[in-house]
Amino acid sequence: MSLSDEEGISVSLGSENPVYCCRRNIISLHPGEQPLCLFPWPQPIEEESFRGPRSCTRQGSGAPAPSSGSTIFALSSGQGRCGIAVIRTSGPSSAHALRSLTAPQDLPPARRACLRQLSDPCSGEPLDRALVLWFPGPQSFTGEDCAEFHVHGGPAVVSGVLQALGSVPGLRPAEAGEFTRRAFAHGKLSLTEVEGLADLIHAETEAQRRQALRQLDGELGHLCHGWAEILTKALAHVEAYIDFGEDDNLEEGVLDQATREVRELEVALGAHLRDARRGQRLRSGAHVVIAGPPNAGKSSLMNLLSRKPVSIVSPEPGTTRDVLETPVDLAGFPTLLSDTAGLREGVGPVEQEGVRRAQNRLEQADLILAVLDASDLASPSSCNFLDAVVIPTGARSPSPSGQRLLLVLNKSDLLPSNGPDPNPDLPPHLLLSCLTGQGLDDLLEALKKELAILCGDPSTGPPLLTRARHQHHLQGCLDALGHYKQAKDLALAAEALRVARGHLAHLTGGGGTEEVLDIIFRDFCVGK
């Protein structure tokens, strides 16, 4: 029998042996122990493909496991009332904690869900009937012994279980990101995968989710490891020539081969660095600025795209005096949408300041939504805006890293139906009516194409560089390769290759300092 509710919780009973994949651990349910599977979003997998729990194949990061002798616990699901709350522990006392709350019963079989009565280890007072799971290390998320308690999500139940765990000797509350940091320290995740996990937790749009999943799957890390292998091979050739070149024991062209490999790597690194701005836009959001003359409908478009009344809409010119900003999911891409003052000669000091700020925002914009009144294209303000903003921006050669522009003719509802184009001499443009919504689908499709160019398509192509740290280390690697080419002494050339390899190691976490790790892991919530 199978039941499911609106929370996405699955309950399975019966004599079958369903196998599910839950996060990174395999849960196998068998009859005989009140088998229940009670966790979000189960994904059935073929039993024939089950080969036991995921093994740890990575080398350790080289960083010491933080407080590795202690056992931590925390609420890993969201705060507030919910159907099921997940509380997890990690560390050598996890087994003792599980026994203390489920006494007198023994530990459940590894990676199997069992229904148990939870009691306070001090008073013996019942706390809840919950699913418990036991993940002995190193086959766990952190690489340590881990336990999970899937309890009912009421605040009193969660608080009671957390207090009970706090009373068990050897346990302490986890710090922000400490579970993931232990996974990194034990080689379960590389640093780029850790950053992908953080981005996945904070993803708010479809494009951000896809990019974060690719990074969590290790695509950027695998790419960097491939580059590191190229550098290792080149370094080996150079050092072999230093040690044995005079003995004529080496094949001809060893140094030429190393130089060719370094040159090819330079080309690959340069391509990724030129593309770095797209990845950062995808993670942080592209800056889209709505600009135009007064009364063109900029505030109406701002409210239409953000689907909420952000800006005041009034027939009076100059209503918007300051820059209004709001984050918006546009066609699956993260954007910071800005409404600006109408560009004209200000009639007072306040409006003049608003125009100055609007012009500053235009210079910072990744994409300009240029809005004109379709029924008033011949007005001086519309002509001035076309000459000062639209034509100069459109005349530039568009590129993924350059500023882009979409021309929107608003108030198309005021034009005669089936009439001619309001101005055939205009640059390519879109017709829109913010009042009726006509033309909105075409605008959103055009925005999707422009934002895909600006942010990159997270579904295809090489992995994007989403953080300044990635760009810093790749640039350092590229600079070191430049020193290699310029070096007139083979010892200096070999040292340049070592420096380049060191930057790639720092990118994936092999040589990260504690200060850098602290900055990365503090962005995680407690319990992750």
Side-chain angles (χ1 to χ4, degrees):
M1 163 171 90
S2 177
L3 304 174
S4 63
D5 61 17
E6 65 276 4
E7 297 293 335
I9 306 301
S10 174
V11 182
S12 299
L13 296 170
S15 59
E16 299 296 328
N17 296 339
V19 180
Y20 292 94
C21 179
C22 179
R23 294 181 301 277
R24 289 177 176 261
N25 301 300
I26 300 297
I27 310 298
S28 180
L29 305 179
H30 296 271
E33 293 184 335
Q34 291 183 287
L36 292 171
C37 180
L38 206 58
F39 49 83
W41 307 292
Q43 300 176 359
I45 62 175
E46 297 295 332
E47 282 205 64
E48 299 82 61
S49 66
F50 177 65
R51 295 293 183 269
R54 167 178 170 156
S55 60
C56 176
T57 57
R58 288 192 182 85
Q59 296 294 323
S61 65
S67 304
S68 56
S70 62
T71 298
I72 55 175
F73 68 91
L75 174 67
S76 290
S77 52
Q79 298 283 347
R81 290 179 175 84
C82 56
I84 298 295
V86 179
I87 298 171
R88 61 162 42 153
T89 71
S90 179
S93 297
S94 291
H96 176 55
L98 189 52
R99 289 191 186 97
S100 297
L101 268 67
T102 60
Q105 300 192 53
D106 294 330
L107 291 176
R111 289 169 292 278
R112 293 183 187 175
C114 295
L115 187 65
R116 296 285 174 87
Q117 179 81 30
L118 302 186
S119 303
D120 189 297
C122 297
S123 64
E125 179 184 359
L127 298 172
D128 192 20
R129 280 173 61 84
L131 265 183
V132 295
L133 297 112
W134 168 237
F135 302 108
Q139 308 296 346
S140 68
F141 173 71
T142 63
E144 302 176 321
D145 288 348
C146 293
E148 287 189 1
F149 302 85
H150 294 226
V151 302
H152 291 94
V157 174
V158 172
S159 176
V161 175
L162 291 175
Q163 290 182 23
L165 288 172
S167 68
V168 177
L171 267 68
R172 64 168 177 84
E175 299 175 0
E178 193 167 0
F179 285 93
T180 307
R181 185 158 186 171
R182 292 190 177 199
F184 166 72
H186 290 99
K188 290 290 186 175
L189 295 172
S190 70
L191 200 55
T192 53
E193 289 174 322
V194 166
E195 290 169 328
L197 178 57
D199 290 345
L200 185 62
I201 291 172
H202 294 99
E204 295 181 348
T205 69
E206 182 71 11
Q208 287 176 321
R209 179 188 66 79
R210 290 178 180 175
Q211 168 60 24
L213 276 175
R214 289 188 67 184
Q215 191 160 326
L216 178 58
D217 286 340
E219 290 193 25
L220 181 58
H222 294 327
L223 186 63
C224 290
H225 284 306
W227 290 338
E229 289 178 1
I230 294 174
L231 288 177
T232 301
K233 184 179 179 181
L235 179 59
H237 287 166
V238 173
E239 291 188 335
Y241 194 88
I242 293 173
D243 293 337
F244 307 109
E246 296 180 356
D247 299 333
D248 295 329
N249 292 326
L250 296 178
E251 298 178 2
E252 293 184 5
V254 167
L255 287 182
D256 292 338
Q257 182 180 351
T259 301
R260 283 196 303 271
E261 291 172 345
V262 167
R263 188 179 299 116
E264 292 172 359
L265 182 55
E266 275 189 303
V267 173
L269 290 174
H272 274 76
L273 284 169
R274 287 191 297 273
D275 211 27
R277 183 75 179 98
R278 297 205 297 172
Q280 293 182 35
R281 287 195 195 106
L282 182 59
R283 181 171 178 265
S284 304
H287 194 178
V288 179
V289 175
I290 303 174
N295 265 12
K298 300 182 300 298
S299 296
S300 297
L301 181 57
M302 175 78 163
N303 295 341
L304 187 64
L305 292 177
S306 59
R307 297 182 290 276
K308 58 184 178 182
V310 176
S311 301
I312 297 175
V313 177
S314 170
E316 178 184 346
T319 303
T320 302
R321 302 292 182 90
D322 205 347
V323 177
L324 300 176
E325 296 181 333
T326 185
V328 178
D329 178 352
L330 282 181
F333 291 91
T335 61
L336 180 64
L337 193 60
S338 299
D339 182 18
T340 59
L343 297 179
R344 66 171 180 173
E345 292 295 329
V347 295
V350 176
E351 188 173 350
Q352 287 177 359
E353 176 62 18
V355 171
R356 186 190 68 81
R357 295 186 180 188
Q359 291 171 338
N360 288 340
R361 281 296 191 277
L362 278 176
E363 296 174 0
Q364 302 167 6
D366 296 314
L367 172 63
I368 299 174
L369 275 180
V371 184
L372 290 175
D373 185 343
S375 64
D376 192 27
L377 294 176
S379 66
S381 59
S382 295
C383 293
N384 290 338
F385 182 73
L386 279 169
D387 294 337
V389 177
V390 176
I391 294 177
T393 305
R396 302 189 197 118
S397 178
S399 66
S401 58
Q403 193 176 67
R404 305 182 70 84
L405 181 142
L406 273 178
L407 178 58
V408 179
L409 303 187
N410 186 32
K411 304 184 182 181
S412 62
D413 55 290
L414 299 180
L415 298 176
S417 59
N418 300 323
D421 192 300
N423 190 338
D425 297 328
L426 282 175
H429 55 271
L430 297 165
L431 288 176
L432 172 70
S433 171
C434 290
L435 180 65
T436 66
Q438 185 178 2
L440 179 60
D441 291 341
D442 293 338
L443 175 59
L444 290 176
E445 186 62 30
L447 281 170
K448 183 177 182 179
K449 293 178 181 179
E450 292 292 330
L451 290 171
I453 295 172
L454 286 168
C455 301
D457 186 349
S459 302
T460 60
L464 298 172
L465 306 180
T466 57
R467 296 175 183 248
R469 188 183 72 85
H470 302 164
Q471 188 173 2
H472 167 75
H473 287 301
L474 286 192
Q475 185 63 56
C477 181
L478 186 61
D479 293 343
L481 296 184
H483 295 320
Y484 166 82
K485 290 197 306 182
Q486 298 170 4
K488 300 186 183 300
D489 183 85
L490 286 180
L492 294 177
E495 181 60 26
L497 292 180
R498 290 191 193 95
V499 172
R501 288 175 68 239
H503 277 289
L504 293 180
H506 277 79
L507 197 152
T508 56
T513 64
E514 284 298 307
E515 291 78 7
V516 173
L517 297 180
D518 287 341
I519 292 172
I520 292 173
F521 285 99
R522 74 185 180 191
D523 289 337
F524 280 86
C525 56
V526 173
K528 192 58 182 171

